[in-house]
Amino acid sequence: MPEPEILPPGAEMPPQQAVRKPRPSWAVAPATYLLLGINCAVFLAMVGNGVSIGTPTTEQLMHWGANNAGSVLINGEWIRIVTAMFVHVGILHLATNMWCLWNLGLLAEPLMGSFGVLAVYILTGAAGNLLSTDINWLWPIRDGAGGVFFPAGAGASGAVFGIAGALIVLLKSNRLPVPPEELKKLRRSVIYFAALNLVLGLSISGGNMFLHSSLNIDNMAHLGGFASGLLFAAPMVPRLGSPRTVFNTRLRLAVGMVVGVLVLFAFYIDNVPPPAGLLRFMNG
């Protein structure tokens, strides 16, 4: 046993440093876990109200807030641009999106803060859904009679791609107190994730043209989310290694810039003429 330390007369014991308890992961990244919780809660509510856990119908998805070009641009249900990013097409769709959101969110939240993660999720998810709405409005699916059909779009993947796009920009910063080699590895893994999933989605969509599969990937939502994520992070600096005032100013600039772009894009979409098949349908 080691002998106790003997202090000279009049000396005081050195102050004991408080041992900091490790914070639970939900406290380190509350926004990420909040988004995970909302998505899972919506899915549980859907299943609890009779929606199929594996293969929900289009009507069920639309009832719970899925996106649809006709509903948005004909009926004026713009709220679907936001609600659709919390609705999922079955348990597998939810699980894969939540796994990606969890991994990317835990990496992103220390760099852009909790408000930044919430903002990038909502804004880039909305950007992806707006682009998807625009493309489906301009080039809808047509039936044998020449009428048009607008597919339902749902899922968090556009927002997940948005977080990936923002990370690719922020991980390039030389302000981060992380060894450059580690930053390169992290950034490369995010780039590989985005590229692989974009190529996979495009490949599946291309294969559907020949196989007539019912599996549809909303590649426009992915592209829109990813591009707006790059735009969102362009004026930002990471929270780690940056003065608080500088970070907050840049974050507000990023939010304002993307909101402005989305408003202008929504105004443009709202003024695009309807497709010819829709005119025939409406007139007939």
Side-chain angles (χ1 to χ4, degrees):
M1 254 181 98
E3 296 184 1
E5 183 180 357
I6 301 175
L7 299 176
E12 296 181 356
M13 288 288 290
Q16 296 289 328
Q17 292 188 355
V19 178
R20 213 179 258 186
K21 292 183 179 180
R23 298 169 67 190
S25 57
W26 64 263
V28 176
T32 300
Y33 283 93
L34 175 63
L35 292 169
L36 289 168
I38 293 173
N39 277 282
C40 292
V42 169
F43 186 76
L44 289 174
M46 291 170 63
V47 173
N49 282 273
V51 177
S52 170
I53 194 171
T55 55
T57 65
T58 299
E59 290 74 18
Q60 290 172 334
L61 294 173
M62 293 301 297
H63 175 76
W64 284 90
N67 185 36
N68 175 281
S71 297
V72 171
L73 295 175
I74 299 173
N75 300 335
E77 299 171 0
W78 289 90
I79 189 63
R80 292 181 181 276
I81 297 297
V82 175
T83 58
M85 65 184 78
F86 296 101
V87 178
H88 286 84
V89 189
I91 186 66
L92 181 60
H93 189 213
L94 175 74
T96 53
N97 276 346
M98 294 305 98
W99 172 253
C100 294
L101 174 60
W102 182 65
N103 281 281
L104 293 176
L106 292 182
L107 181 58
E109 200 151 346
L111 301 181
M112 60 179 71
S114 298
F115 175 76
V117 168
L118 292 173
V120 76
Y121 182 95
I122 297 297
L123 294 177
T124 62
N129 288 336
L130 280 173
L131 181 59
S132 176
T133 298
D134 184 36
I135 297 301
N136 285 319
W137 184 250
L138 292 172
W139 294 283
I141 300 171
R142 297 184 178 275
D143 60 23
V148 298
F149 169 73
F150 299 113
S157 54
V160 168
F161 271 91
I163 296 173
L167 279 172
I168 289 171
V169 175
L170 291 178
L171 289 172
K172 187 73 173 175
S173 174
N174 55 11
R175 293 174 179 260
L176 293 171
V178 180
E181 287 304 315
E182 291 300 318
L183 277 181
K184 287 182 181 178
K185 290 179 182 177
L186 283 173
R187 189 166 182 266
R188 192 181 302 123
S189 66
V190 177
I191 292 173
Y192 286 163
F193 160 82
L196 178 62
N197 282 278
L198 284 172
V199 170
L200 183 62
L202 291 169
S203 300
I204 292 174
S205 296
N208 287 344
M209 296 175 62
F210 300 98
L211 301 176
H212 304 289
S213 170
S214 61
L215 177 61
N216 294 308
I217 306 295
D218 196 344
N219 294 296
M220 293 302 105
H222 296 174
L223 289 171
F226 182 72
S228 59
L230 296 173
L231 178 65
F232 182 92
M236 285 185 65
V237 292
R239 187 177 68 169
L240 293 176
S242 301
R244 182 184 295 271
T245 54
V246 173
F247 168 76
N248 288 336
T249 300
R250 296 289 189 90
L251 177 58
R252 286 193 292 268
L253 175 61
V255 171
M257 180 177 63
V258 176
V259 168
V261 170
L262 293 184
V263 169
L264 290 174
F265 189 41
F267 180 78
Y268 156 74
I269 295 173
D270 197 34
N271 287 275
V272 174
L278 181 63
L279 283 175
R280 286 196 296 272
F281 175 79
M282 293 172 67
N283 293 332

